[in-house]
Amino acid sequence: MPDFVCQTPADMRCPLTLGPPIYFIYPIILYCWFRHRSVTPTASAIIITDMDKAESQRYMRRALALAAKGAGRVAPNPMVGAVIVKEGQIIGQGYHRRFGQAHAEVNALAHCAKQGHDPRGATMFVTLEPCCHQGKTGPCTEAIAQAGIARVVIATIDDCALVAGKGAQWLRDQGIEVEVGVCQKEARKLNAGFFKLQKQGKPQVILKWAQSINGKLAYPPTSGTNDQPRWITNEKSRRHVHQVRSRCGAVLVGIGTVIADDPLLNVRLDKPAPQPLRVVVDSKLRIPMTSKLVRSAREYPLLICTAEQNLKEQPDLVEALIASRCYVAGLPTDDTGKLSLDAVLLELGKRSITELLVEGGATLHQAFIAQGLADQIMVYIAPAFIAGDNAPKIDLSTLAVEGIILQDVQQQSFDGDVLIEGYIKAL
């Protein structure tokens, strides 16, 4: 409950010293005084104006931008950023850089000290509720309190059972003012994979493909000519795909894509970048030992998901794959003998994967959509029409859903190619 000002004019303090005319209107003056007293807040009262909201959002979006720098390096932890503000100036900032290392709040306080600033009485903007438990690092709540931070603005509460509101309450118990919900939608979108893993034990599923304007996924097979382009999209689009791979914990393809294209599925950028776990859905365990994926398993991790019975029926191949440093997971199948995609996601969840990039092929994409297992779509569209009935394409007309629409749609352009991405909502 806020305090309120009681402003008492000098001529109201001793009404009995006033002349008779004033005395008779004293009850009216007293009534007006009490009304005035009940609505005039002191400077210590919390009044959130539109300008305050705009400033809070500006600082929080700065913290969100910092948090995103940890993509691909902090999982299964969430990406978190923190900004410390005092007297309208940023005096410290930081983000969670790597799994097992200092959290954003601690890095922001360290940056503040390095700059020679005193954080006592300052406000900290942080994209996720500070932790209040001992993990690989100490509780961030204690570091905040010890630094003398007076106010903490949190974008969203942490769904992790070890925190889940306890961090915010601990700060309040120490007399620190806490506000929750600034830029909450953006914060939860940034860490959608972390939140899904916490709730469902599965990673966020992102379907990615490239297509022509008329929906073809590749050029049709040719009869020996080398004049046909290998890729639909241009070099800038393909470089962006590698950046996306580096942010995801795993990238997945079906065995058909492995046999047809012999992909490597690693990240190839100018600078060193995180490498995802490469995953193959291979119900019948047909992956060639000579494939690029198997031959590179010692350098880049590879998980082969296959039917449980294959572990017993093909023990020699399983042993050879394991000897090549491949991981092999035996999983249940459906009535048609196809691998359960839900089981694949749960297996990846057990391996602490928060984001899964599904790169193909078309049959796998259609299956994820049909089973309601996809969360996001990324489609790179090249400015080309591809002829030929035998050119592969994604066909959603036979699915048991009326259709899908995308929410929170974003677009980017790469020298003529267009990327459309958004979150899936079934009709």
Side-chain angles (χ1 to χ4, degrees), residues 242-283:
H242 284 274
Q243 293 171 350
V244 174
R245 282 183 185 173
S246 73
R247 298 198 299 264
C248 294
V251 54
L252 180 147
V253 295
I255 187 59
T257 297
V258 175
I259 293 173
D261 300 337
D262 194 20
L264 190 56
L265 297 180
N266 66 337
V267 174
R268 299 183 295 277
L269 293 169
D270 295 335
K271 297 180 180 179
Q275 294 291 340
L277 172 67
R278 303 170 302 165
V279 184
V280 178
V281 174
D282 186 5
S283 299

Side-chain angles (χ1 to χ4, degrees), residues 275-327:
Q275 294 291 340
L277 172 67
R278 303 170 302 165
V279 184
V280 178
V281 174
D282 186 5
S283 299
K284 298 180 180 180
L285 203 57
R286 296 186 292 149
I287 189 167
M289 290 295 298
T290 57
S291 65
K292 292 178 182 177
L293 288 171
V294 173
R295 288 189 287 115
S296 61
R298 295 178 184 275
E299 186 175 1
Y300 308 112
L302 173 65
L303 170 65
I304 302 167
C305 296
T306 191
E308 290 175 314
Q309 64 265 27
N310 291 328
L311 302 185
K312 296 181 179 179
E313 295 175 359
Q314 303 186 59
D316 292 341
L317 178 54
V318 171
E319 185 177 341
L321 290 169
I322 294 175
S324 297
R325 297 295 186 269
C326 302
Y327 300 100

Side-chain angles (χ1 to χ4, degrees), residues 23 39 52 58 77 108 112 118 122-123 142 145 154 160 163 183 214 218 247 281 308 406 416:
Y23 179 77
V39 298
D52 294 329
R58 182 170 69 87
N77 282 355
C112 185
D118 183 359
T123 296
E142 292 185 6
I154 302 168
C160 176
V163 188
C183 298
N214 59 333
R247 298 198 299 264
V281 174
E308 290 175 314
L406 298 184

Side-chain angles (χ1 to χ4, degrees), residues 114-127:
K114 185 177 181 181
Q115 300 297 314
H117 296 298
D118 183 359
R120 285 178 296 180
T123 296
M124 175 180 285
F125 293 84
V126 61
T127 59

